[in-house]
Amino acid sequence: MFDPEGPNRAFAIPNLSITYRARKEETIEVPAGTFQAIPVDSSRAVGPPFTGTTWYAPGIGVVKAVTNFGGRERTTVLKSFSPGR
């Protein structure tokens, strides 16, 4: 539960509502390789405009994320991956 008086209070946004929508799994290529990943779109209506898509590969995690915050786009990709033992 979020404590409005706690250490993360500087990040509190009243009435924050983010919408998420998962889409059909797709093949995505990033520097770490080619993965089957589930894209999840996100958007926020309150505060500065925010949209994004994050691709999640089962058993790996986030392989790519594209965000647009206030008209500035940022892309993050997985550069390398080594499976755990």
Side-chain angles (χ1 to χ4, degrees):
M1 179 188 230
F2 176 73
D3 177 3
E5 299 303 317
N8 294 320
R9 67 184 171 275
F11 301 103
I13 300 172
N15 301 316
L16 177 64
S17 178
I18 300 175
T19 302
Y20 298 95
R21 183 177 66 93
R23 293 187 278 133
K24 183 179 176 184
E25 186 175 77
E26 62 188 43
T27 302
I28 188 160
E29 188 173 340
V30 295
T34 302
F35 301 93
Q36 288 300 115
I38 300 166
V40 177
D41 298 323
S42 57
S43 62
R44 178 178 73 200
V46 175
F50 169 86
T51 59
T53 302
T54 304
W55 286 262
Y56 297 91
I60 296 168
V62 176
V63 294
K64 182 176 181 178
V66 177
T67 57
N68 188 312
F69 184 74
R72 295 182 132 173
E73 187 171 281
R74 178 178 180 166
T75 301
T76 305
V77 295
L78 184 66
K79 291 193 174 190
S80 65
F81 174 76
S82 298
R85 295 179 191 217

